[in-house]
Amino acid sequence: MNIVTLLPFIVLIGAMFLMTRSAKKKQQAAAQMRNEMQPGTGIRTIGGMYATVKEVHDDAVLLEVAPGVHAVYAKNAIGAVLADDEYNRIVHGTEDDLSEDTPVVPDDASSLTETDEPADASDDSRIDLGKKDAAAEADDAQPKKTDGESDAK
């Protein structure tokens, strides 16, 4: 066998190895995140529910989804462990005070097109895209042609 014929197989095996290695790293990071959960930590489940951890067991977690409402979830169902400020911002709606240095992003693009100079001072004049009355009168003055008529004589 020639090395050239084996080259595609070697590349394919190398790519598969790299992909599985990447997936294993992600799984290990997720498992480590789940193992670092402590009671009182805010979490988001893989279904998108936000809750507070009450108890951590080997394969299960007791979550408080609402005041006085508890549910038992598998550890694998925990999608993310949230920081306290992020959890409070999402669940309780508390917002951090915006500093004066933070730029405010507008809701629409109108502020991006506005200028400080008056409209008369701009170099380009507005183009009227509407139909002019003079052009309409000139079109009405010429007789309309039908299918059988032409200008040729």
Side-chain angles (χ1 to χ4, degrees), residues 1-15:
M1 280 222 142
N2 194 357
I3 189 74
V4 177
T5 58
L6 292 176
L7 189 62
F9 294 113
I10 294 170
V11 170
L12 182 63
I13 291 170

Side-chain angles (χ1 to χ4, degrees), residues 5-26:
T5 58
L6 292 176
L7 189 62
F9 294 113
I10 294 170
V11 170
L12 182 63
I13 291 170
M16 289 174 45
F17 172 73
L18 291 175
M19 286 189 284
T20 57
R21 194 173 123 202
S22 168
K24 281 184 183 179
K25 282 186 178 181
K26 286 181 183 179

Side-chain angles (χ1 to χ4, degrees), residues 18-137:
L18 291 175
M19 286 189 284
T20 57
R21 194 173 123 202
S22 168
K24 281 184 183 179
K25 282 186 178 181
K26 286 181 183 179
Q27 286 176 350
Q28 288 174 349
Q32 181 181 2
M33 174 217 31
R34 290 180 186 119
N35 289 332
E36 292 176 354
M37 281 188 301
Q38 301 293 328
T41 306
I43 58 101
R44 181 183 65 237
T45 65
I46 57 174
M49 182 178 66
Y50 293 92
T52 305
V53 176
K54 286 298 177 184
E55 295 177 9
V56 179
H57 302 288
D58 292 335
D59 292 332
V61 180
L62 180 67
L63 301 177
E64 184 176 29
V65 283
V69 179
H70 296 89
V72 178
Y73 273 76
K75 268 191 177 180
N76 292 340
I78 305 302
V81 177
L82 305 173
D84 290 338
D85 56 343
E86 183 181 4
Y87 179 76
N88 289 331
R89 181 183 58 81
I90 293 170
V91 175
H92 302 297
T94 58
E95 302 248 350
D96 296 334
D97 293 335
L98 294 176
S99 64
E100 297 297 323
D101 298 337
T102 307
V104 177
V105 179
D107 291 338
D108 59 356
S110 64
S111 65
L112 300 175
T113 58
E114 293 176 359
T115 59
D116 293 337
E117 61 188 43
D120 296 336
S122 66
D123 291 337
D124 18 53
S125 61
R126 295 207 174 242
I127 300 172
D128 186 16
L129 299 177
K131 193 171 183 180
K132 304 259 190 237
D133 291 335
E137 291 175 7

